[in-house]
Amino acid sequence: MAMSGGVDSSVTAALLKEQGHDVVGITLQLYDHGAAVGRKGACCAGDDIDDARRVAEGLDIPHYVLDYESRFQDQVIEDFADSYLRGETPVPCIRCNQTVKFSDLMQTARDLGASALATGHYVRRVEGGQGPELHRGADPVRDQSYFLFATTRDQLEFLRFPLGDLSKDGTRALAARLGLPVAQKADSQGICFVPEGGYAGVIEKLRPGAAEAGDIVDLAGEVLGRHQGTIHYTVGQRRGLGVSATEPLYVVRIEPDRRRVVVGPRHALLVRCIQVGDVNWLGPGDGPADGMEVAVKVRSTRPPAPARLHPRSEPTGGVEVELIAGEEGVARGQACVFYNGDRVLGGGWIAGTGAAETA
């Protein structure tokens, strides 16, 4: 049982113990324990490790804390910094699930002789005709399937998600019934290794000199102002641009090689075509058929939107996603996840976009 110290994983461990399973709790230390103690609103912080230990003691199950700090640094934090330097908008929580949690931790679980690895994610594992399938959580508000699109078929065989049919209120009610000390603990928020609103500072610390000044330009290339580093901007951003105009302006594109931030009116954010690479396919067959109709999410907070998939030939590979109604503010480095109803068909990383025609 992957125990983060929060209410979700604690309830999951307690439910599994109540059902008669032989449960072993594992908590990952992902960054310096001393520096993390007392930090609120993060996951896998110092206080969370202590909470996980208290829950495990109350449940009378073995509990181990594994030092994954160097792996987390190499596979998640460094990737986060490099992604921003490329002008992308990364999703480190997906990288963490893809590497540290569902790769390294899963191997540790196998080494311990476990028959399954359980987590407190709000997704569902459904047995299908060709093996287990990944489905959205029953509660659309809590669904975390977007963050787990990179889960492989082999990993799905080994994973269990006991909270997939519950709402958050239902989970907290169970925590109270089970007498867990974390029943009223606040949810983790934001990126665990980034102080609130301070991602640029993290990048500057990891990559000294990354915040090079440059121009803010309009779609025609006319200079409207100056910026203190492209790492301070993301596609779709409106506030804090530092330029004045007769209409609201948004970040349309980031060009780190030229140290330029390109801004424009809202309609310039609309795209109808996305190039998606590093695709993980969980749907039927070996991959999508050309023109396959699906729904896609281009950000975790957005509802699925209708689209068609068009596999690209080698050597480019990947999938071209045709957005039927278009989407605004699609950014390189984000994930694009494919759905058929509640079933997750897979997804990949946004490598490029095509702008819609505008009048």
Side-chain angles (χ1 to χ4, degrees):
M1 177 64 224
M3 299 183 67
S4 67
V7 63
D8 297 329
S9 62
S10 298
V11 166
T12 305
L15 286 176
L16 293 172
K17 176 67 182 296
E18 189 176 62
Q19 293 166 6
H21 295 287
D22 183 8
V23 182
V24 176
I26 297 178
T27 300
L28 303 182
Q29 179 185 321
L30 299 182
Y31 41 90
D32 182 70
H33 178 81
V37 169
R39 183 168 169 193
K40 302 298 183 183
C43 71
C44 305
D47 286 347
D48 295 311
I49 294 174
D50 293 335
D51 286 340
R53 183 180 292 113
R54 285 195 301 142
V55 170
E57 289 175 352
L59 297 176
D60 192 25
I61 63 173
H63 177 249
Y64 301 96
V65 178
L66 305 181
D67 183 357
Y68 275 27
E69 185 176 343
S70 62
R71 305 185 200 196
F72 187 70
Q73 178 75 31
D74 294 341
Q75 299 178 27
V76 180
I77 298 179
E78 298 292 341
D79 177 80
F80 173 82
D82 290 339
S83 184
Y84 261 108
L85 293 185
R86 294 191 296 267
E88 300 172 348
T89 304
V91 193
C93 293
I94 296 179
R95 288 295 188 195
C96 184
N97 288 326
Q98 184 180 19
T99 56
V100 175
K101 292 181 179 176
F102 283 1
S103 180
D104 296 343
L105 178 56
M106 186 170 293
Q107 186 56 52
T108 297
R110 293 184 189 276
D111 292 343
L112 289 173
S115 57
L117 172 64
T119 79
H121 288 101
Y122 288 89
V123 294
R124 291 178 294 150
R125 178 185 181 276
V126 176
E127 286 295 341
Q130 298 180 332
E133 301 171 355
L134 185 64
H135 286 239
R136 299 178 70 189
D139 182 354
V141 176
R142 300 299 304 182
D143 169 51
Q144 294 174 297
S145 60
Y146 179 86
F147 297 100
L148 300 182
F149 84 86
T151 305
T152 66
R153 296 179 191 269
D154 180 63
Q155 290 170 346
L156 268 182
E157 292 279 357
F158 195 66
L159 285 164
R160 301 294 184 271
F161 307 109
L163 301 187
D165 290 316
L166 296 177
S167 66
K168 186 68 177 194
D169 288 343
T171 298
R172 289 200 182 276
L174 279 173
R177 177 180 72 79
L178 294 165
L180 299 178
V182 295
Q184 299 303 317
K185 185 175 181 178
D187 292 341
S188 59
Q189 300 193 1
I191 301 172
C192 64
F193 58 89
V194 176
E196 185 175 352
Y199 68 89
V202 172
I203 298 168
E204 289 183 272
K205 182 177 180 180
L206 292 167
R207 302 289 185 270
E212 295 184 279
D215 291 329
I216 299 174
V217 303
D218 64 15
L219 295 174
E222 181 179 347
V223 176
L224 303 180
R226 295 282 289 174
H227 66 74
Q228 297 304 309
T230 60
I231 62 173
H232 295 281
Y233 300 85
T234 59
V235 171
Q237 179 178 333
R238 176 183 173 185
R239 299 183 182 277
L241 300 185
V243 296
S244 59
T246 57
E247 63 179 331
L249 295 177
Y250 300 79
V251 175
V252 175
R253 188 168 67 249
I254 297 172
E255 300 176 347
D257 293 343
R258 304 174 70 179
R259 299 200 302 277
R260 297 204 317 180
V261 175
V262 182
V263 299
R266 182 169 178 173
H267 68 75
L269 292 172
L270 189 71
V271 299
R272 297 192 188 277
C273 181
I274 305 174
Q275 290 77 49
V276 177
D278 294 328
V279 173
N280 178 55
W281 183 251
L282 294 172
D286 296 327
D290 188 38
M292 182 178 186
E293 294 188 355
V294 299
V296 302
K297 291 183 69 169
V298 295
R299 286 183 185 266
S300 63
T301 54
R302 294 187 186 175
R308 296 188 187 94
L309 303 183
H310 303 282
R312 295 188 294 173
S313 59
E314 297 297 341
T316 307
V319 171
E320 185 175 276
V321 180
E322 175 192 355
L323 299 165
I324 305 305
E327 284 277 332
E328 292 184 349
V330 180
R332 291 187 302 114
Q334 291 277 300
C336 179
V337 182
F338 320 139
Y339 295 88
N340 178 12
D342 283 339
R343 183 180 178 183
V344 180
L345 299 177
W349 298 99
I350 298 172
T353 63
E357 294 183 1
T358 56

